[in-house]
Amino acid sequence: MLAFYDTLLAIAWNWPWMIVAGGACLFIKILADELWSPIARVPGVRPALLARLLTLYHMATGSFTAYTVSMSRRYGKLYRLSSNAVATTDVDAIRLIYSSTRFKKPECYRYFAFHRDSLLSTRDIEHHRRLLLLSQKRLVGPVFSTTSITELEPLVYRAGAAAMAKRVAQYADAGQPFDAMALSRLATLDVIGEVAFGGSFESLAMAQDEGSHPVFRWMNDMTHLGVLKQVFGRLCQPWIMPRHFASERMLVEFTRSVVQGRMAAIASDHPTTRDHAAKDVLQRLIEAVDPATGDRLDVDQIIAESIVQLTLHLLMEHPDVYHRLERELLAAIPDRDQAISHATVRHLPLLNAVLYESMRLRPVGSASQRVVPSGGMVIAGVYLPPGLVVHPITSGVHLLPEIFGDDAECFRPDRWLAATPEQLRGMRQCLLTFSLGARACIGRSLAWMELRLMLSVLVRRFVLSIPPCTKTDMTPVQRFGLKPRGGRLDVLAVHRTK
């Protein structure tokens, strides 16, 4: 036995032999992937090992979206990303994947289970179906109904559009440019606080050097933690990355304190709580009851769902569209200083077309992943076996010329105005910004309200422009969601005189 171990040690220290053995294993792996893999005939970069390395590189550098779009142009609607993963822009396949709960989320999603499994992170199909069809549809669904969204409008306007306009007015008075990207993020954060955490975080009201509410940093750290867990696995420990784990803990405890505080206020029947809480999402989550079972969401489930809960630049680049939007808003809102209601702007044709086109070209979300279920599936005429990971490429679908025209890569809101009813229906069905079917974003109606109000208030009250000699790189970069490479958008605002 000792002689055997001595032989193994001698081989281990024989570096030339180890290099030959490693090279042989690598050759066998490449040969197996190219000759015997179930997806060996799927087009893509070869060998599959190189494709995998390129995929990881572009994910790490944030250029995965641009990479997959270029791959779609080169290889068509289905191509290989590695030996066990493919990407697709096939609309029918993506519609099937997003409309069914049969397609399980891959392993990487479990790293985003913060505090407790939620709709975002769960990989258990039955658990997802139970959350979606029972608890979420009956308990959370009514929270985002048309009636509920209408009642949320005063909160959204006060915390978002009105607060944003007040902050921009300060920059306009001083004649200073401002980072529209940063203010938009703060406005979104304040709206989330107002409707889901019991009150605005008042980030927009803070002085520039005060920073924003720490919840913004906690949320960023938590998303980064999910990525770090995926990359480093068990090496991702609290003693190695204390800040990220501390942020997760603080956000959970902050949310718990808000939920328990509201429950205590409800129990005491405090009049201030009644006045504010009557409309917000937090109150509706606490009061929601499943009519079939009588069940309520417990505190931990409310915490989990609360945590889960770039149009200006395109307008600056296209002044003709910007001026037309100005005229549309001037006609709809004669008084510059009046409070804008969603009912006033929700049906404005050009406003909606601009938002549709902006979300098409610069979606804030990135591609998700799903696992092919038992029985396999066919995409673009190719059979894919069970267990294979499929990446639906949203950005690639948004650039399909057969859906959006030969100028699909151009910002042209008129495509939504000049389309026939059939073309318009096709484009809307292929706009995957909020996903679709069983995977559709439950808060999309709230997001639409915020987008319309925010853009209308800014364009109606201010003349906006990019300061001279300002370099702005809005190339989408994947950082959990899609963000501009430059990280900021400097805009100069001047008060409108009428």
Side-chain angles (χ1 to χ4, degrees):
M1 182 62 70
L2 288 176
F4 173 74
Y5 284 120
D6 288 341
T7 302
L8 286 180
L9 288 173
I11 292 174
W13 285 106
N14 189 336
W15 291 109
W17 188 92
M18 290 293 290
I19 292 174
V20 171
C25 291
L26 181 61
F27 177 76
I28 294 172
K29 166 66 174 171
I30 292 174
L31 201 62
D33 289 341
E34 297 306 314
L35 296 180
W36 301 299
S37 168
I39 58 171
R41 299 295 179 266
V42 175
V45 175
R46 297 184 183 281
L49 181 60
L50 176 60
R52 173 63 175 167
L53 293 175
L54 286 172
T55 298
L56 290 175
Y57 168 78
H58 287 289
M59 284 182 172
T61 58
S63 56
F64 181 70
T65 297
Y67 172 66
T68 52
V69 169
S70 67
M71 292 283 282
S72 298
R73 294 195 189 102
R74 181 175 180 181
Y75 295 111
K77 294 186 177 182
L78 180 70
Y79 50 91
R80 200 167 50 162
L81 292 176
S82 69
S83 60
N84 69 333
V86 297
T88 184
T89 57
D90 186 283
V91 176
D92 292 333
I94 293 175
R95 203 172 278 138
L96 174 62
I97 291 170
Y98 282 152
S99 299
S100 171
T101 56
R102 292 178 57 241
F103 293 82
K104 188 177 180 179
K105 295 173 183 176
E107 179 73 11
C108 61
Y109 275 79
R110 70 183 179 89
Y111 299 116
F112 296 94
F114 301 116
H115 176 62
R116 181 168 169 174
D117 219 6
S118 69
L119 276 173
L120 171 68
S121 62
T122 184
R123 299 178 61 244
D124 186 316
I125 292 178
E126 288 305 317
H127 182 53
H128 183 277
R129 185 180 289 116
R130 192 161 53 250
L131 283 174
L132 185 68
L133 298 181
L134 295 178
S135 296
Q136 301 305 313
K137 185 175 180 180
R138 292 176 177 165
L139 298 183
V140 179
V143 171
F144 294 100
S145 67
T146 302
T147 301
S148 298
I149 293 300
T150 301
E151 293 177 348
L152 286 172
E153 181 178 342
L155 304 181
V156 174
Y157 184 81
R158 180 173 66 243
M164 177 87 158
K166 184 176 180 180
R167 184 67 180 268
V168 172
Q170 295 173 357
Y171 287 105
D173 292 338
Q176 296 177 344
F178 63 94
D179 181 1
M181 293 297 302
L183 289 193
S184 296
R185 287 194 294 268
L186 295 181
T188 300
L189 179 66
D190 285 349
V191 169
I192 291 173
E194 184 75 16
V195 302
F197 286 87
S200 170
F201 297 124
E202 303 294 343
S203 303
L204 285 168
M206 295 180 182
Q208 192 169 9
D209 57 352
E210 289 180 354
S212 60
H213 193 284
V215 72
F216 195 68
R217 174 174 56 81
W218 298 340
M219 293 168 72
N220 275 333
D221 284 348
M222 281 181 62
T223 56
H224 292 158
L225 180 61
V227 175
L228 291 171
K229 287 178 178 178
Q230 183 178 352
V231 174
F232 296 107
R234 295 182 180 275
L235 292 177
C236 190
Q237 296 293 328
W239 61 274
I240 298 178
M241 300 160 186
R243 192 192 78 185
H244 294 81
F245 281 91
S247 291
E248 179 184 8
R249 184 178 65 255
M250 287 186 286
L251 182 57
V252 169
E253 291 308 313
F254 170 75
T255 308
R256 185 186 300 278
S257 68
V258 170
V259 174
Q260 292 179 335
R262 174 64 65 83
M263 287 180 166
I266 292 171
S268 66
D269 198 28
H270 194 281
T272 303
T273 301
R274 287 200 308 270
D275 293 341
H276 181 276
K279 310 295 185 187
D280 71 7
V281 172
L282 177 60
Q283 185 76 12
R284 294 175 186 275
L285 288 174
I286 292 172
E287 294 178 347
V289 179
D290 187 331
T293 65
D295 292 340
R296 294 178 180 268
L297 294 174
D298 59 32
V299 172
D300 283 334
Q301 188 62 50
I302 295 173
I303 291 170
E305 297 307 327
S306 295
I307 291 174
V308 168
Q309 298 279 312
L310 305 153
T311 301
L312 282 176
H313 181 258
L314 288 170
L315 286 173
M316 298 299 103
E317 285 184 333
H318 299 81
D320 56 326
V321 178
Y322 176 64
H323 293 314
R324 285 170 55 202
L325 181 59
E326 282 182 316
R327 291 194 294 271
E328 183 176 77
L329 290 170
L330 284 170
I333 312 162
D335 183 358
R336 181 197 67 178
D337 298 320
Q338 78 177 69
I340 298 175
S341 69
H342 189 227
T344 303
V345 298
R346 67 179 301 176
H347 297 303
L348 294 181
L350 185 57
L351 174 65
N352 285 325
V354 166
L355 290 172
Y356 272 125
E357 192 72 346
S358 175
M359 289 189 289
R360 182 182 71 84
L361 288 177
R362 292 183 181 155
V364 294
S366 55
S368 57
Q369 306 169 36
R370 293 294 182 269
V371 177
V372 176
S374 59
M377 70 178 301
V378 176
I379 298 181
V382 178
Y383 172 78
L384 303 179
L388 197 74
V389 176
V390 179
H391 294 245
I393 306 301
T394 299
S395 298
V397 172
H398 289 176
L399 297 177
L400 290 175
E402 62 266 34
I403 302 296
F404 297 99
D406 294 334
D407 61 347
E409 296 187 23
C410 301
F411 178 75
R412 189 172 66 83
D414 284 305
R415 79 177 74 249
W416 300 91
L417 302 176
T420 65
E422 184 179 355
Q423 290 172 329
L424 187 61
R425 183 168 56 253
M427 290 193 296
R428 286 180 174 175
Q429 288 176 347
C430 293
L431 190 69
L432 305 176
T433 306
F434 295 112
S435 190
L436 52 82
R439 310 293 186 185
C441 173
I442 196 170
R444 59 191 177 278
S445 296
L446 180 62
W448 266 108
M449 177 193 288
E450 185 180 353
L451 285 168
R452 290 188 182 112
L453 290 176
M454 193 81 69
L455 187 58
S456 298
V457 167
L458 291 179
V459 175
R460 179 62 188 88
R461 295 189 182 181
F462 305 97
V463 177
L464 304 170
S465 62
I466 295 178
C469 303
T470 298
K471 294 183 178 180
T472 303
D473 185 358
M474 298 295 287
T475 305
V477 175
Q478 190 167 7
R479 291 287 184 265
F480 191 69
L482 294 179
K483 299 180 180 180
R485 186 181 298 278
R488 60 183 293 121
L489 171 60
D490 288 326
V491 173
L492 192 62
V494 177
H495 289 285
R496 289 193 182 278
T497 56
K498 61 178 182 179

